[in-house]
Amino acid sequence: MSDTIYTRLRALLGTTGVERDSDGTPRATPDTADALTLVCRLAHEEGWKIRVEGRGTWLPSDAPADLAVSTRALEQIVSVSPADLVATVQAGASVEMLRRRLADSGMWLAVDPPGRADRSIGSVVATATAGPLRQGFGPIRDHVLGCTVATGDGRLVNAGGRVAKNVAGYDLTKLQVGGFGGFGIIVEVHLRLRALPRADVTLLARGTRDALTLAGRELIAAHLLPAALELLSPALAAEADWVLAARFVGTEGAVQADVRRLASVGEVTWIPLPPERTAAFWSVAARGTLGGPITLRLGVLGDGVDETIDLLAHDLDEGLVSAGAGQGMIRWTGDALIERIRALRRAAAAREIPVTLERAPWRVRRALGHFGAYREGVGQIVGRLRDSFDPGQCLNVALEGAE
Amino acid sequence: MNQSLLTSLSRIVGSRWVRHRRAELATYAMDGLPTHESLPGAVVMPESPGQVRQIVRLLHLVQVPFVARGAGTGLSGGALADRETVLIALTRMNRILSVDPVQRRAVLQPGVVNARLSEAVQPMGLYYAPDPSSQTACTVGGNVAENAGGPHCLKYGVTTNHIVALEVVLPDGSITRLGSRQGEPWGPDLVGLFVGSEGMFGIATEITVRLERIPDSVRTMLADFMTVRAASEAVSAIIAAGIVPAALEMMDQACVAAVEASIYAAGYPTDAAAVLLVELDGQGEAVEAEATTVREILCSRGARQVQSASTAADRARLWQGRKKAFGAMGRIAPDLAVQDAVVPRSALPDIMDQIESIRRTHGLAISNVFHAGDGNLHPNISFDRRDPAVTKRVRLACREIMAACVAAGGSITGEHGVGNDKLDYMPWIFDAESLGAMRAVRRAFDPTELANPGKVVPVHACREWCAVKSLRS
């Protein structure tokens, strides 16, 4: 079977567009959207299961499938418009490559996802994994103006557009952001950019978790507007204590005004990071998320952070934790038995806290699903949506889990 | 509409809240766009989610289509219903159910008027950011359906950025909850998908919104320019400097003239080709620093004069002309076709030239007031719809403006929605596969297509329809 698929794919894509992964599974690496749709159409016609991959740095490439489809050869930055602050980028382009290209033109994508800098843009969008900058610039959905996806049966569907404001048709982009590839393979995205900030200052406060969550609340109550306000566990920050990191970006005058006011807020001592260490600090925090095989995202508000970290500590641990001290949201990384995570999900659900499985080995994803159980009525809608984007159920994505 | 259905509807809401006589229905024959008109079969006015559920269940049972309607201020013909369709007016469901000032959340019914929400939370130092021009009349439920915008959406985002959870009556009469108070979805982002679905996925009966804190300091600046191009370049220069103003609005000479000739006169210079309103907000010191930079940019880009206001009264004066522009245009002619399109910001000067050319070709009065910061145009055509020849020219001009915006890489609507007004333009920006996917998504919520039928997606342009046509031929 594997040889047949390999041969059929080579006939479709040529020798350079197909390889085998470490287990011998054929992997297609199409370099155009049309080629990607041809692969999907073939898989749909033959009833083959597809494992969707980006650059292979976030989700493990371990979902059982007849073939893998990687977007890593779709890595072009198609267009960048400094005047309009919009970029069109293929899904396989890395976040770091895009960052460099934009910086050359004085622009910036205000997104700092967890994981490695060479993660693909498609992976960040499909998993909606926003980093600390969500405090000031919102979740991933706020940065995506439109996208093109290949459906499981090989159609190419466009959603949204390249303009900042657009309500033409249903907002199908929202379904793709955080859809984990269950509604098609993201081929290309249109991104909202910002001018590269003139000033970018990070300050750190160290102390107990209680003291720092209080400091975070006081900072927000004082009407300061940090771009990031992230509480990092000692292991994640590679420090002896918990760390609260406040980042201010913008014009020089505005940032300096915020930094001056920060000194008068609360009891903690804020120490500015030297500019040459700022990027490294945030990079360590982002990469620290890969310090265990499983990453969870807990949807809490700012005032629920402390209590929810207690819950994590009780049900799992508080090893690698990153939490939004202002807007909320907690990211946990570690290892745990499936039953423990299931128990955490139940406890969190009782508190109305959604727990999304952002990253895990297949056996965990398969058992728990990225989302777990849906609320009443939602499962039926999601089922129909998946049927419409993948009528042959070729895309092997565990949204709901086996429960 | 058949009598037994009217009787059943009356049993649910009381006969007082079911309208079916022609004179009663006339109120609901139009929305804010005077180019479309249609009488509904009946109007029913529920007062609770339970009544909405019963009504929708009943209509599903007898397979009668329905259209949900808020205040009827929409500008795309989206809330119009035909004689076979029941219009569900949600204006009685106008209660703010709870406010959490600490976490800045409010839970409300769909008929709450947009501006009333901000008034209600103002004593807590909060407000609701999306501010469509019709905010003193339009409802938040309607805003959710259309994904409404407004002048202050440049910095704070449109409706979709402020809705975190919804209770929804689906078109089969079942109730479901989407999203969470926190804003993190339970599963795929169905709240994001629902917002802007123009009433075709169901009816939102309870809406949880994110509120914003009233900023410590606000500075409003008014600059006038001798060319639209210079004003547009000033807009791009402000954004390129890394400043995101709370609002960045432009009015052309025709619009300024209309305002200044009305009771809303705000002292705008009538000889200027364009007037730019820039509003900065945030913490005091930071706002002052940015205001200095913005003033420098405006002057370096050719502003003749820059007025600045920081007190509420002075700011209100500068805003008055902008906020009342649509009212002022009402003096020019009996009817106003408010159009809505988006172009990349860099295309603004060229598209304004094209609109002027279209205006001359058709001999119409067009004034422009728009959200320059995000390239969202509102060319407004003043006319008299009693004159069929003029109305025809208005339609042609609207079509040509849309075509020019699409050719410039833009979109046919930035905040008003497609409704039935822009149905024909959808194939200009989406191919048959993409339209087919939209239709399939709609059917995931509404398999029998009873909710607001015939809007948004032109079925004849979808992939399935094209396939049927080719088979027949």
Side-chain angles (χ1 to χ4, degrees), chain B residues 94-302:
Chain B
N94 58 2
R95 286 192 301 135
I96 297 170
L97 302 170
S98 67
V99 179
D100 177 348
V102 176
Q103 289 304 333
R104 295 187 281 119
R105 297 289 188 269
V107 182
L108 43 134
Q109 292 185 324
V112 170
V113 170
N114 176 302
R116 213 193 113 222
L117 173 58
S118 284
E119 286 162 18
V121 298
Q122 193 260 345
M124 302 168 201
L126 302 170
Y127 73 108
Y128 178 61
D131 58 343
S133 292
S134 57
Q135 72 178 134
T136 54
C138 68
T139 63
V140 178
N143 296 170
V144 167
E146 302 300 316
N147 193 9
H152 288 86
C153 291
L154 176 63
K155 180 172 180 178
Y156 293 102
V158 293
T159 300
T160 193
N161 303 109
H162 298 269
I163 306 299
V164 294
L166 295 167
E167 178 194 81
V168 172
V169 172
L170 294 170
D172 64 358
S174 60
I175 285 191
T176 191
R177 298 190 75 84
L178 310 176
S180 70
R181 263 179 94 245
Q182 300 88 318
E184 176 74 17
W186 293 81
D189 183 7
L190 298 187
V191 171
L193 192 57
F194 191 93
V195 175
S197 59
E198 303 202 20
M200 298 176 78
F201 292 0
I203 300 176
T205 47
E206 193 179 287
I207 301 165
T208 307
V209 305
R210 185 194 341 262
L211 302 167
E212 298 293 334
R213 271 207 298 234
I214 296 173
D216 293 347
S217 174
V218 184
R219 174 65 68 93
T220 306
M221 304 164 99
L222 182 89
D224 61 273
F225 292 83
M226 289 310 285
T227 65
V228 171
R229 188 169 293 273
S232 302
E233 285 169 358
V235 168
S236 291
I238 290 168
I239 303 282
I243 296 170
V244 183
L248 195 40
E249 300 284 297
M250 202 190 299
M251 297 164 72
D252 72 357
Q253 191 168 29
C255 184
V256 169
V259 168
E260 290 302 313
S262 75
I263 56 164
Y264 307 120
Y268 293 173
T270 51
D271 61 337
V275 162
L276 204 58
L277 261 176
V278 188
E279 186 154 284
L280 301 163
D281 69 8
Q283 183 270 328
E285 227 183 315
V287 168
E288 287 314 307
E290 291 193 339
T292 304
T293 308
V294 167
R295 179 182 281 275
E296 286 166 7
I297 291 170
L298 291 169
C299 292
S300 71
R301 297 288 166 164

Side-chain angles (χ1 to χ4, degrees), chain B residues 437-453:
Chain B
M438 283 187 202
R439 188 178 184 212
V441 166
R442 186 268 174 87
R443 290 175 69 93
F445 287 84
D446 181 13
T448 51
E449 301 191 344
L450 288 177
N452 209 1

